Structures are given as C-alpha cells and as structure tokens.
C-alpha cells in the first residue's frame, strides 16, 4: 500500500479543530477521566478518535455531515447485538459508570486488553498509541465471485511509546501465551521469533513513513491536550527516530513456582539468544 495510508492523518482536520474550539461538556468529561484506571484516547488514520476503557472501545468519534458524531457498541448500552450504533454524546457523563461495568464484563483486568489499558493508564506512562494497524497489498487473490482482487497483509502491533528520543513499538504477550515457547524448542522455533522478525522487517521498510505519522499524531494529541502527563512537557518529536527493533512486553505470573520459574528462564534464553528486547 502506498504512503497515503499514513499521510491521510491531517492535523488540520475539522474534527480536531471543533473539539478544541467548542470543548463540549462530554469532551471535557472524557479528558478529565484520562487517568489511572480511566479512559484513554487514540487518534486513528481516518481522522477519527477512539475512546477506550479497560481495553474496550467505548466510543468512536467522527465528523459526519458537518457535526461531531459518536458510535458505541450495542452491548455497552445493555442491548442485544454486535454493531456499533449512533450515540448521543451529551449522555456520556450520566451513562459512563454503567458503560464501564459492561466493558469490564468483556475485558477483564487480566486479559491482554485489560493489561494494555493498565500500561497505558499507569502513572508516568509514555505510551502514545495502541492497536497500530497497517494493511499492505502483497499480491492478488480470487474472491468468492471469481474476481481477481488485491490480497492484503495487515501488520498489527499493540503499543507505541516515546522514550529517550525514540519512537518504539511494543508487542504485548501474557507469560502463559503458547507462542512464547514450544514444548520442545530444539524441534521448532516458537512463533514469537517469526512474529518479531516480521515486525522488524516492517519497521525497516516503512521507517520514514512511521516517523512522519507519529510526528503528526503527537502534534494532534498535544494540541487537544490528551498526551500522557509524562510527555506533556515535550513540544514536538521532530528529532525523534524510530527504533527498528520492536520490543516485547511480557505480563508476568502473579505467583511463582518451580515450573513457572523454569518456563521464564527458558523464554528468556530464547529471547536473549535472538536479540529480542524484553522485560523479563
């Protein structure tokens, strides 16, 4: 896919200007709840925003027909269904507690989504994006109608952080994840090695595009005053570089025993041997 997938993000988009200039009460409420255990906001490439709670997409905010519109999953309003439907944004302050309870039913604190939310919302956090996705055309395929259409491969990475002059992608795994370790390592490499290798190839291929994209995203978040407090003192990231090596964050066990210690050591050995940056 061409670089336009990155460059479609526009800091002058009317949605961002409207939010800043009009500052509606529901938007102030969202910003006031960007805190540990609260909301976080991601900017999307199509000039929209996603508001998350505990890893669940609470709201999708777009500009449509000249006005700011919200969409919410039916389940979070206590309805039966699986679609995102129109939502009256001024209702959010009154509805927030019940919505958060329903999100927590789907995304527990110990799920990958819940862990991701905890990392993003932690005090001193330096994460500026989550659920990065980039589709590329990798060839052609035949669809159900017998027509030749583009075949896409989408690269998805969990988190992006700003640290020590670097833009860094971070992949999240729970320690129990089977992709971290095969039963017999000598008979096959764990899936995590090919996954991290593919990520590193992706960052090398699209390095400059990614840097420019995150410069723009950072500027939008700064202008809307939704950066993490730890990054609020940074004017821009114009001189920041992309770390081509994607980091791996592994959520540890709550309790240890001998079998778990052996598993941790085996995983560490494999990751270190393959020069993968990790937190174990």
């Amino acid at each position: 896919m061409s670089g336009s997938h990155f460059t479609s993000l526009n800091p002058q988009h009317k949605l961002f200007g409207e939010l800043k200039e009009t500052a509606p009460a529901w938007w102030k409420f969202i910003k006031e709840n960007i805190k540990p255990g609260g909301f976080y906001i991601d900017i999307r490439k199509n000039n929209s925003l996603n508001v998350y709670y505990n890893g669940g997409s609470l709201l999708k905010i777009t500009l449509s027909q000249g006005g700011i519109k919200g969409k919410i999953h039916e389940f979070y309003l206590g309805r039966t269904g699986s679609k995102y439907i129109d939502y009256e944004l001024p209702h959010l302050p009154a509805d927030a507690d019940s919505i958060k309870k329903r999100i927590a039913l789907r995304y527990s604190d110990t799920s990958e989504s819940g862990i991701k939310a905890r990392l993003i919302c932690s005090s001193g956090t330096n994460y500026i994006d989550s659920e990065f996705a980039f589709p590329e055309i990798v060839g052609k395929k035949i669809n159900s109608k017998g027509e030749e259409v583009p075949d896409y491969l989408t690269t998805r990475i969990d988190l992006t952080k700003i640290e020590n002059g670097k833009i860094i992608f971070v992949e999240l795994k729970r320690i129990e994840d089977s992709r971290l370790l095969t039963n017999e390592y000598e008979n096959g490499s764990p899936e995590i090695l090919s996954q991290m290798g593919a990520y590193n190839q992706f960052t090398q291929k699209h390095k400059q595009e990614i840097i420019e994209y995150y410069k723009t995203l950072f500027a939008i978040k700064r202008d809307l005053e939704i950066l993490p407090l730890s990054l609020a003192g940074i004017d821009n990231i114009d001189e920041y570089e992309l770390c081509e090596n994607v980091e791996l964050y592994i959520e540890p066990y709550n309790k240890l025993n001998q079998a778990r210690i052996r598993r941790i050591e085996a995983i560490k050995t494999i990751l270190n041997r393959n020069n993968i940056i990790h937190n174990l």
Side-chain angles (χ1 to χ4, degrees):
M1 175 166 282
S2 70
S4 63
H5 185 74
F6 282 111
T7 57
S8 59
L9 183 61
N10 177 14
Q12 306 304 320
H13 193 273
K14 190 176 178 181
L15 172 62
F16 308 134
E18 285 283 318
L19 289 173
K20 184 178 180 180
E21 292 168 17
T22 64
W26 60 266
W27 176 243
K28 292 180 181 178
F29 175 80
I30 289 173
K31 290 172 66 174
E32 288 166 359
N33 281 275
I34 298 175
K35 58 186 180 182
F39 299 150
Y40 61 97
I41 304 171
D42 282 333
I43 308 292
R44 294 307 181 206
K45 298 180 187 70
N46 62 350
N47 297 296
S48 66
L49 295 91
N50 273 25
V51 181
Y52 292 89
Y53 172 75
N54 219 49
S57 180
L58 186 154
L59 280 174
K60 297 181 178 182
I61 301 172
T62 62
L63 191 75
S64 178
Q65 298 179 340
I68 298 175
K69 307 294 183 183
K71 285 187 175 293
I72 191 169
H73 197 287
E74 292 175 288
F75 178 80
Y76 301 152
L77 295 179
R79 302 179 187 178
T80 301
S82 58
K83 302 190 300 294
Y84 274 82
I85 58 174
D86 292 337
Y87 179 73
E88 294 295 328
L89 292 166
H91 294 171
L92 181 62
D95 293 345
D97 286 345
S98 61
I99 292 171
K100 287 159 66 175
K101 287 178 182 177
R102 292 191 183 97
I103 289 176
L105 291 175
R106 287 199 165 181
Y107 300 97
S108 70
D109 292 343
T110 57
S111 67
E112 278 200 11
S113 294
I115 294 165
K116 189 185 305 178
R118 189 197 74 228
L119 293 173
I120 293 169
C121 295
S122 295
S123 177
T125 186
N126 52 5
Y127 291 101
I128 62 164
D129 193 25
S130 68
E131 300 186 21
F132 174 90
F134 183 84
E136 291 182 277
I137 297 175
V138 293
K140 299 285 186 180
K141 66 178 182 179
I142 304 299
N143 66 15
S144 58
K145 298 179 181 179
E147 301 166 332
E148 188 177 72
V149 295
D151 187 15
Y152 287 92
L153 173 67
T154 300
T155 298
R156 302 181 187 276
I157 306 178
D158 290 317
L159 295 159
T160 312
K161 65 180 179 179
I162 297 293
E163 189 174 82
N164 300 323
K166 296 284 188 181
I167 302 164
I168 305 169
F169 283 127
V170 181
E171 179 66 10
L172 168 67
K173 292 284 187 286
R174 299 171 67 209
I175 188 67
E176 300 93 343
D177 196 310
S178 62
R179 290 168 290 186
L180 293 173
L181 190 67
T182 55
N183 290 331
E184 298 180 1
Y185 175 57
E186 64 275 10
N187 292 332
S189 298
E191 186 179 331
I192 190 62
L193 297 184
S194 57
Q195 184 179 8
M196 299 301 284
Y199 287 161
N200 292 340
Q201 289 179 5
F202 171 80
T203 58
Q204 291 165 18
K205 179 179 178 182
H206 295 286
K207 181 177 180 177
Q208 198 56 45
E209 295 167 281
I210 295 169
I211 291 172
E212 294 302 321
Y213 172 73
Y214 276 111
K215 285 180 185 178
T216 302
L217 184 145
F218 185 92
I220 294 170
K221 281 200 164 187
R222 179 172 177 75
D223 203 37
L224 291 176
E225 300 178 325
I226 55 174
L227 282 171
L229 286 177
S230 61
L231 301 177
I234 301 174
D235 291 331
N236 59 65
I237 58 170
D238 290 350
E239 302 303 318
Y240 281 52
E241 291 294 325
L242 177 69
C243 181
E244 293 183 1
N245 293 318
V246 175
E247 294 186 5
L248 179 62
Y249 174 85
I250 300 174
E251 179 71 2
Y253 291 113
N254 288 328
K255 296 180 180 179
L256 291 177
N257 56 37
Q258 287 302 311
R260 289 178 171 181
I261 292 172
R262 286 195 297 271
R263 177 179 173 81
I264 292 169
E265 291 304 313
I267 293 171
K268 286 170 62 176
T269 298
I270 293 167
L271 298 180
N272 291 341
R273 185 180 298 161
N274 288 276
N275 301 311
I276 294 174
I277 302 169
H278 60 90
N279 63 305
L280 290 181

